[in-house]
Amino acid sequence: MKKILGLDLGTNSIGWAVVNADEKLRENETSYLQPIEISAAGSRIIPMDEGTLGDFDRGNTKSQTADRTKFRSTRRLLERNLLRRERLLRVLDLMGFLPEHFSSQIDRYGKFINHAEPKLAWVKDEIGKYRFVFEDSFNEMLADFAKNQTQLVADGKKVPYDWTIYYLRKKALSQRLTKEELAWVLLQFNQKRGYYQLRGEEEEEQTDKKVEFLAQKVVRVEATDEKKGEDVWYNVYLENGMIYRRTSKIPLDWEGKIKEFIVTTDLEKDGSPKKDKEGNIRRSFRAPKEDDWTLVKKKTEFDIDNSHKTIGCYIYDSLLQNPNLKIIGKLVRTVERKYYKEELRQILEVQKELIPELQDEKLYKACIEELYPNNEAHRNNIAKPDFANLFINDILFYQRPLKSKKSLIDNCPYEERVYKDKDGKKQKEPVKCIAKSNPLFQEFRLWQFIQNLRIYQREKEVAGKLLTDVDVTNEVLKSEDDCVTLFNWLNDRASIKQDTLLNSYFKLKKEKGKDQYPYRWNYVEDKEYPCNETRAEILKGLDKCGVAADYLTKEREMHLWHILYSVEDKNEISKALKKYAEKNNLPESFADVFAKIKPFK
């Protein structure tokens, strides 16, 4: 008896049935299946709202699991944020840094009792009115504003209490904070940690272009006689002497206003600006869009770097100059995590000298035992008393390593490993497939390319007859040595095109007056085929470091590939490469160059 599986695929449902059938013979002795009975059946309804069904009918497909994945990711981020906060509160409570009204509402595990959400900076008095805890620091901030923004605080006017946190972040770099104030600062760093960029996500640096972020005052706007459709071309003269050309349907009333631009200047090989035929520097202008977060991120980091301040100081000083600034989402958008880590490191280094508890070795030991009561190995790793390291690397900016997905790699259908189990019986276990970037696979693929390579002459006279597409492979690759020589030539390249192979290697030239080669290969003619991409990338890096190509032996190629393939964290890859460079007496630039190589898939 055989089984037949039937599927009914609809727009938002799937029906299925398994039918038992007997194999029978017709009169002409051909076989067919005769259904007997339905063995099993069922259906799966995929719920869709009208909007989704409408999109589906228009051809805009969307996975039904996409929304669930999105919400699950959000829940995980929230869960990890709460876990960091709980760990931080456990330590701060043990150290005695939390105000009484706040400490009384958390349990020993750092969780809020009865799902309460108390505010560390606000306390409810006896009549139920909230009072700001750090009134003294707030008054210090008001005095600072009175010097720079007299009208803002005149006649008893006050600025928002929430700005006190930025004042404290600036004050902490030079003066002593109270224990409660430092706890408030640490809790804010748990909320805003910055963007952690994974290895390989960095944008490639363009050596032939210079990108600048400028905020310039418009001196003059000049309408020209040139038009683009209905739009008029305008010359916008900036305060720094640059001229920005753009089109507009309506007159530009920009004179006297500050405008932000992203300016890209083309550079020569020596780093000097390129010029056009008229002698003008070749540059282009554009304004960052609201949804172009990478450019906004770069602009924010550019402004912070030029201010030579920490993020907290940058925000507070900006508020002193312009109290109407919107901080979140406007003044400071997404920035690299290193900015927050560096600010917190500076704060803790200063406060460590001013707050005795931050140098108490017994208190530090009690804190790590509270966090890791059963993890003796990790306690030994962080046993050296250093509260700055504990707060920065172990609690607030801890990055969970990505889980291994080796289980998702398919099993090789051709190879298996034989071993004996505890009972002495032979067992078979499949071997995992090799990574595409592995030097062994790269070499195998290249030999396969050469083995299948055929060179054809488009037209050739043989025995008085004009033949087309004559196989001349044996004439250009006469022996195994010729194949080995070709392999060695291709092995240092990332890819190969037909024209490059025929012209550069086989020295088969084009006929005069003809655009087409008289020869071709058996692969797609206008397609580029991969060679040894891994080796070519490593050789390119060695060349940048000034290391000779003969340094790269088979063993070293495999070792370097394994580092670049297996290490995913940016900091860890730098450490591994520096260690490798020291061990092999390579230049100091080696680690920096190879850390920029994109991760191998």
Side-chain angles (χ1 to χ4, degrees):
M1 182 178 292
K2 294 190 176 182
K3 294 183 181 293
I4 302 172
L5 172 64
L7 297 175
D8 175 22
L9 306 179
T11 57
N12 61 333
S13 67
I14 297 176
W16 62 274
V18 177
V19 178
N20 294 330
D22 279 340
E23 189 172 3
K24 295 189 176 182
L25 291 175
R26 294 188 178 93
E27 293 180 357
N28 58 2
E29 296 186 354
T30 58
S31 63
Y32 69 98
L33 294 177
Q34 175 67 47
I36 299 174
E37 60 180 355
I38 296 176
S39 175
S43 65
R44 173 69 186 268
I45 306 298
I46 305 173
M48 291 187 185
D49 56 27
E50 291 298 325
T52 306
L53 280 173
D55 286 340
F56 186 86
D57 292 337
R58 289 190 291 270
N60 302 326
T61 57
K62 180 182 176 183
S63 170
Q64 290 300 297
T65 60
D67 288 335
R68 293 204 302 273
T69 302
K70 177 183 175 182
F71 292 135
R72 183 169 64 249
S73 299
T74 303
R75 289 196 304 271
R76 285 176 176 170
L77 288 175
L78 178 60
E79 181 185 4
R80 290 167 189 164
N81 178 285
L82 294 176
L83 181 60
R84 288 194 306 270
R85 186 181 69 178
E86 290 163 6
R87 286 161 52 81
L88 178 62
L89 292 179
R90 288 170 67 181
V91 172
L92 292 176
D93 193 31
L94 182 62
M95 297 173 68
F97 277 44
L98 298 178
E100 178 59 32
H101 77 278
F102 191 83
S103 177
S104 61
Q105 297 193 62
I106 61 174
D107 59 19
R108 67 173 300 270
Y109 299 106
K111 299 179 182 291
F112 291 127
I113 299 173
N114 297 327
H115 304 287
E117 286 288 340
K119 303 297 182 184
L120 188 143
W122 295 88
V123 60
K124 189 182 291 187
D125 57 20
E126 297 175 355
I127 60 174
K129 187 177 180 181
Y130 281 97
R131 175 179 61 82
F132 190 62
V133 175
F134 308 112
E135 193 72 35
D136 293 340
S137 297
F138 176 69
N139 291 328
E140 291 176 13
M141 182 180 67
L142 284 181
D144 199 10
F145 268 89
K147 297 177 185 177
N148 297 274
Q149 300 287 343
T150 308
Q151 296 180 350
L152 189 67
V153 295
D155 302 326
K157 296 178 183 177
K158 292 184 177 181
V159 297
Y161 281 107
D162 292 343
W163 289 1
T164 310
I165 188 68
Y166 302 113
Y167 170 76
L168 290 176
R169 283 168 64 174
K170 180 179 180 180
K171 178 183 176 181
L173 297 172
S174 58
Q175 303 176 51
R176 184 185 188 278
L177 299 184
T178 65
K179 294 186 290 185
E180 292 78 7
E181 288 172 342
L182 182 58
W184 190 28
V185 169
L186 291 172
L187 277 170
Q188 197 200 31
F189 275 97
N190 184 53
Q191 292 178 310
K192 297 288 288 183
R193 304 195 310 154
Y195 172 72
Y196 183 74
Q197 200 167 39
L198 293 174
R199 177 175 165 244
E201 292 183 351
E202 305 91 345
E203 291 191 3
E204 294 183 5
E205 295 182 7
Q206 294 181 312
T207 56
D208 60 341
K209 295 184 184 295
K210 179 184 178 183
V211 181
E212 298 176 281
F213 304 92
L214 301 178
Q216 288 291 316
K217 184 178 180 180
V218 178
V219 178
R220 181 164 59 93
V221 179
E222 176 186 76
T224 67
D225 296 332
E226 301 174 59
K227 285 191 175 183
K228 184 181 179 181
E230 298 180 358
D231 296 356
V232 177
W233 278 97
Y234 287 87
N235 291 331
V236 181
Y237 294 86
L238 306 180
E239 194 174 22
N240 63 354
M242 292 183 180
I243 302 175
Y244 168 42
R245 282 176 54 82
R246 66 157 293 166
T247 58
S248 177
K249 289 183 180 180
I250 58 175
L252 298 177
D253 56 343
W254 286 6
E255 288 190 15
K257 295 181 179 179
I258 303 293
K259 290 292 179 179
E260 294 182 346
F261 302 99
I262 298 169
V263 183
T264 304
T265 306
D266 294 336
L267 301 177
E268 301 284 0
K269 291 184 178 180
D270 60 357
S272 60
K274 280 186 179 180
K275 295 184 179 181
D276 57 20
K277 296 179 181 179
E278 299 175 358
N280 299 318
I281 296 176
R282 293 172 58 179
R283 57 167 61 101
S284 59
F285 291 76
R286 63 183 173 128
K289 298 178 182 178
E290 288 295 325
D291 58 346
D292 197 345
W293 73 271
T294 54
L295 291 176
V296 175
K297 169 178 170 288
K298 280 189 173 183
K299 180 188 179 303
T300 306
E301 293 176 354
F302 179 82
D303 292 339
I304 294 173
D305 288 336
N306 282 353
S307 69
H308 303 291
K309 299 173 183 177
T310 62
I311 292 183
C313 289
Y314 174 73
I315 294 174
Y316 180 72
D317 290 343
S318 299
L319 288 173
L320 277 179
Q321 300 301 320
N322 183 9
N324 295 321
L325 277 176
K326 182 184 177 184
I327 301 171
I328 300 175
K330 185 65 178 178
L331 179 62
V332 174
R333 297 287 290 272
T334 305
V335 294
E336 278 274 7
R337 184 168 296 173
K338 63 181 181 180
Y339 291 91
Y340 289 96
K341 290 182 74 172
E342 178 59 23
E343 179 182 358
L344 184 56
R345 186 193 63 77
Q346 292 183 30
I347 289 174
L348 291 174
E349 289 298 327
V350 172
Q351 296 304 308
K352 186 168 64 175
E353 303 299 325
L354 302 174
I355 301 177
E357 285 83 353
L358 294 179
Q359 294 184 345
D360 191 330
E361 295 186 11
K362 292 184 179 179
L363 184 59
Y364 178 82
K365 185 178 180 181
C367 288
I368 62 175
E369 288 180 350
E370 170 68 21
L371 289 177
Y372 307 103
N374 301 318
N375 193 343
E376 184 179 356
H378 191 63
R379 287 205 309 270
N380 293 333
N381 288 337
I382 59 173
K384 183 180 178 181
D386 187 356
F387 273 104
N389 178 64
L390 180 67
F391 283 126
I392 295 173
N393 298 320
D394 218 67
I395 299 178
L396 293 174
F397 297 104
Y398 172 74
Q399 184 74 19
R400 180 184 64 84
L402 296 175
K403 293 181 179 178
S404 171
K405 292 298 179 183
K406 192 174 181 180
S407 59
L408 299 181
I409 299 175
D410 200 5
N411 295 325
C412 179
Y414 308 111
E415 295 291 334
E416 58 187 13
R417 184 175 70 90
V418 180
Y419 67 97
K420 290 184 179 181
D421 58 15
K422 295 179 180 179
D423 301 328
K425 295 181 179 179
K426 286 187 177 181
Q427 302 289 344
K428 293 182 179 180
E429 182 183 55
V431 178
K432 292 292 182 183
C433 288
I434 198 170
K436 277 188 176 182
S437 58
N438 190 303
L440 294 175
F441 174 78
Q442 295 277 311
E443 183 177 337
F444 160 76
R445 183 178 61 186
L446 184 54
W447 274 118
Q448 190 179 50
F449 175 84
I450 295 173
Q451 177 70 20
N452 296 330
L453 177 67
R454 294 291 180 271
I455 304 298
Y456 294 104
Q457 188 171 347
R458 297 181 189 274
E459 292 182 351
K460 187 178 182 180
E461 188 174 339
V462 179
K465 293 183 180 180
L466 185 63
L467 303 179
T468 59
D469 283 343
V470 179
D471 190 343
V472 294
T473 309
N474 293 333
E475 297 178 16
V476 293
L477 294 174
K478 299 177 181 179
S479 64
E480 286 188 3
D481 291 340
D482 291 341
C483 292
V484 172
T485 305
L486 175 60
F487 170 82
N488 291 332
W489 187 76
L490 293 173
N491 197 34
D492 292 343
R493 304 179 63 93
S495 59
I496 187 66
K497 292 181 178 179
Q498 173 183 266
D499 291 0
T500 307
L501 181 69
L502 296 177
N503 187 12
S504 301
Y505 185 78
F506 289 122
K507 308 299 182 184
L508 302 173
K509 305 297 182 183
K510 291 182 180 178
E511 295 180 7
K512 290 184 178 180
K514 293 186 178 181
D515 295 332
Q516 195 178 46
Y517 274 96
Y519 298 86
R520 70 171 183 86
W521 65 14
N522 57 317
Y523 298 113
V524 179
E525 292 193 53
D526 57 350
K527 185 177 178 181
E528 191 171 2
Y529 286 84
C531 294
N532 194 330
E533 297 164 313
T534 300
R535 180 179 175 84
E537 194 69 42
I538 294 175
L539 285 173
K540 184 179 175 182
L542 292 175
D543 183 58
K544 288 182 180 179
C545 302
V547 179
D550 57 6
Y551 166 82
L552 194 62
T553 61
K554 293 287 185 184
E555 294 75 15
R556 288 168 176 166
E557 182 181 349
M558 182 64 75
H559 194 175
L560 276 172
W561 167 79
H562 195 270
I563 294 174
L564 296 169
Y565 172 75
S566 59
V567 183
E568 297 173 335
D569 186 84
K570 287 194 300 183
N571 297 325
E572 293 299 324
I573 191 71
S574 295
K575 291 179 183 177
L577 290 170
K578 285 178 182 177
K579 188 175 180 181
Y580 180 88
E582 291 173 1
K583 186 177 180 181
N584 292 274
N585 299 318
L586 294 171
E588 293 182 0
S589 60
F590 174 85
D592 294 331
V593 170
F594 274 78
K596 293 178 182 177
I597 294 178
K598 289 187 177 181
F600 292 120
K601 293 181 180 180

